[in-house]
Amino acid sequence: DIQMTQSPSSVSASVGDRVTITCRASQDIAGWLAWYQQKPGKAPKLLIYSASSLQSGVPSRFSGSGSGTDFTLTISSLQPEDFATYFCQQANSFPYTFGQGTKLEIK
Amino acid sequence: EVQLVESGGTLIQPGGSLRLSCAASGFAFATFGMNWVRQGPGKGLEWISYISAGGSAIYYADSVKGRFTISRDNAKNSLYLQMNSLRDEDTAVYYCVRKTLDYWGQGTLVTVSS
């Protein structure tokens, strides 16, 4: 199985800050990487697919990059509604696997 | 509007069986593969099963292989998960998710406990 390792596991930031979350795959997954945002008690929401494609309706302050084994999610200017938990996920092969999550908290 | 609505979650004893359902609407269900993904209390996300649009391709996570069975009824726009030999560690919110994980249901809670 492909292991997905996210870092950091938690981060504190302020409104307006730029935040970057990284995800590393245990083997080459090309661009088959997605990012999700999850708020308490809610289902995950797809933000980015194919490593860098913005899902319809997602604000442009979210961006993704990377290929192969190393990927990043960047939020260019944090808004109050962005404080949540973020997960990466590989869609290269079954079993699909997720990172352990990064909790983004208000500083 | 794409909607996925899960049902069937409940409190059940270890060793028991349960069938989850997912009612799909707002898209051509019969042309999309579907997944089940679960999330234990305070835990991360775990993909557990996929079924192709026509049902010919099925995959399971090792943690549920041999105990869970995914199926679908395209005439009823419905996805199912038959869960047998349930264990404490199967306690989770179970999500019905469209093929590329772009649309998720609201989830249904399964609690396995004596």
Side-chain angles (χ1 to χ4, degrees), chain A residues 3-63:
Chain A
Q3 307 304 314
M4 305 301 293
T5 304
Q6 268 181 254
S7 61
S9 56
S10 65
V11 58
S12 295
S14 302
V15 173
D17 285 354
R18 179 184 182 92
V19 170
T20 297
I21 298 169
T22 65
C23 183
R24 175 164 288 176
S26 61
Q27 63 190 71
D28 189 341
I29 60 170
W32 296 103
L33 191 283
W35 290 97
Y36 301 86
Q37 176 193 69
Q38 188 178 33
K39 296 182 178 179
K42 299 294 188 181
K45 173 187 174 184
L46 177 65
L47 300 174
I48 301 285
Y49 63 94
S50 299
S52 60
S53 296
L54 194 67
Q55 175 70 352
S56 176
V58 174
S60 59
R61 62 181 180 272
F62 291 92
S63 64

Side-chain angles (χ1 to χ4, degrees), chain B residues 9 15-17 27 34 38 41-42 47 51 56-57 60 66 69 86 92 96 103:
Chain B
S17 296
F27 67 103
M34 296 293 296
R38 69 183 180 184
W47 171 87
I51 184 169
S56 59
Y60 296 101
T69 302
L86 283 160
C96 166
Y103 285 95

Side-chain angles (χ1 to χ4, degrees), chain B residues 23-41:
Chain B
S25 60
F27 67 103
F29 179 76
T31 66
F32 282 84
M34 296 293 296
N35 300 272
W36 287 99
V37 175
R38 69 183 180 184
Q39 186 170 35

